[in-house]
């Protein structure tokens, strides 16, 4: 009986997120008119894409006992960098530079937290203020409208509103890719197994020489979610 009860509890823990998601869908379908209409589902996919991409990276951060509250500021900085470079360098180089800057900042955060043993909350709080200030300085404290940046801005806007087959938003592609990538990393790689086995235990991490906390911030990059966001709103 005890074994059966334990198996049941393990099953509940494993699929609790899926059960909650199904519950929310059922409640919304009962109280929200036309919830399952194609237009509403497309709107949901478009809106939650940046949140899911950030959440996939943040899952790894929280799994190692860390936190990163500089996500919003990093998104703002990557957006401003993209806007400042688009007219001269083109769309693709601008995106690559903003992604590279985000990864480098994430490496710095991971070094401070993983190697120097500083509190993640303190480091990311400082980065939140610093990156927000840098973004404000770069854009001069004004909104940047990508649809006013010429042809390259229009290309970004068209990419953000493109629909596969004229029905499914393009945002579904990065959502699926990010979920699959994190699942493969966690379930099929040594690093992922170490993250699950060690978690936030510093003593276990020292015994296994696990460097998962060093990598947590680079893996939680925020530039791509922001690019999807600005492509949708064109600002």
């Amino acid at each position: 009986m005890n074994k059966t009860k334990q198996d049941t509890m393990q099953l509940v823990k494993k699929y609790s997120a899926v059960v909650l998601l199904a519950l929310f869908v059922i409640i919304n379908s009962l109280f929200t008119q036309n919830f399952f209409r194609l237009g509403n589902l497309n709107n949901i996919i478009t809106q939650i894409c940046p949140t899911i991409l950030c959440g996939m990276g943040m899952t790894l951060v929280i799994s190692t006992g860390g936190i990163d509250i500089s996500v919003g500021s990093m998104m703002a900085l990557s957006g401003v960098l993209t806007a400042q470079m688009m007219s001269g360098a083109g769309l693709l180089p601008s995106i690559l530079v903003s992604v590279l800057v985000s990864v480098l900042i994430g490496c710095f955060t991971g070094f401070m937290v993983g190697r120097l043993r500083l509190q993640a909350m303190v480091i990311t709080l400082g980065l939140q203020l610093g990156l927000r200030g840098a973004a404000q300085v770069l854009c001069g404290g004004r909104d940047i409208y990508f649809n006013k940046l010429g042809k390259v801005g229009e290309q970004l806007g068209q990419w953000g509103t493109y629909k596969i087959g004229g029905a499914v938003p393009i945002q579904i592609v990065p959502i699926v890719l990010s979920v699959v990538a994190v699942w493969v990393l966690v379930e099929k790689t040594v690093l992922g197994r170490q993250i699950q086995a060690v978690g936030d235990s510093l003593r276990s991490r020292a015994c296994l020489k696990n460097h998962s906390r060093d990598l947590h911030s680079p893996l939680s990059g925020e530039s791509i979610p922001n690019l999807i966001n600005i492509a949708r709103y064109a600002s």
Side-chain angles (χ1 to χ4, degrees), residues 47 49-55 58 68-83 98 101-102 105 127-128 131-132 135 146 220-230 233 235:
Q47 289 182 346
C49 181
T51 304
I52 289 180
L53 295 185
C54 288
M58 198 61 67
D68 189 346
I69 60 174
S70 64
V71 174
S73 298
M74 189 66 255
M75 290 178 65
L77 179 61
S78 64
V80 171
L81 285 174
T82 304
S98 66
V101 170
S102 298
I105 294 175
L127 277 175
Q128 179 188 43
L131 297 177
R132 183 187 301 169
F146 286 79
S220 65
E222 300 86 11
S223 59
I224 296 177
N226 182 64
L227 291 172
I228 294 173
N229 219 22
I230 61 179
Y233 294 107
S235 65

Side-chain angles (χ1 to χ4, degrees), residues 11-104:
L11 191 65
V12 170
K13 289 180 180 180
K14 185 175 182 179
Y15 295 103
S16 58
V18 177
V19 173
L20 284 174
L21 177 60
L23 181 62
F24 289 146
V25 170
I26 293 173
I27 293 175
N28 274 283
S29 64
L30 292 175
F31 293 97
T32 304
Q33 191 177 11
N34 303 320
F35 178 77
F36 286 108
R37 291 190 63 178
L38 182 60
N40 185 57
L41 295 178
N42 286 345
N43 187 46
I44 292 174
I45 292 173
T46 304
Q47 289 182 346
I48 67 172
C49 181
T51 304
I52 289 180
L53 295 185
C54 288
M56 289 297 99
M58 198 61 67
T59 298
L60 302 175
V61 176
I62 297 174
S63 297
T64 60
I67 191 68
D68 189 346
I69 60 174
S70 64
V71 174
S73 298
M74 189 66 255
M75 290 178 65
L77 179 61
S78 64
V80 171
L81 285 174
T82 304
Q84 295 287 1
M85 297 182 59
M86 278 174 56
S87 299
L91 181 58
L92 183 59
S94 302
I95 292 176
L96 293 177
V97 169
S98 66
V99 171
L100 178 61
V101 170
S102 298
V103 170
L104 291 176

Side-chain angles (χ1 to χ4, degrees), residues 106-191:
C107 289
F108 170 76
T109 307
F111 176 79
M112 299 293 284
V113 175
R115 293 292 184 176
L116 300 185
R117 305 290 191 271
L118 299 178
Q119 288 293 328
M121 179 68 75
V122 176
I123 296 300
T124 56
L125 176 61
L127 277 175
Q128 179 188 43
L129 300 176
L131 297 177
R132 183 187 301 169
Q136 288 282 344
V137 171
L138 288 175
C139 70
R142 296 172 294 180
D143 293 336
I144 300 176
Y145 296 94
F146 286 79
N147 54 7
K148 295 183 179 180
L149 295 178
K151 186 176 180 180
V152 66
E154 295 178 359
Q155 290 176 350
L156 182 62
Q158 291 173 358
W159 176 73
T161 56
Y162 179 76
K163 291 186 177 181
I164 302 173
V168 182
I170 190 65
Q171 283 82 359
I172 193 66
V173 175
I175 288 176
V176 173
L177 290 178
S178 65
V179 172
V180 172
V182 172
W183 180 82
V184 171
L185 174 65
V186 172
E187 297 292 339
K188 303 298 181 180
T189 67
V190 175
L191 176 61

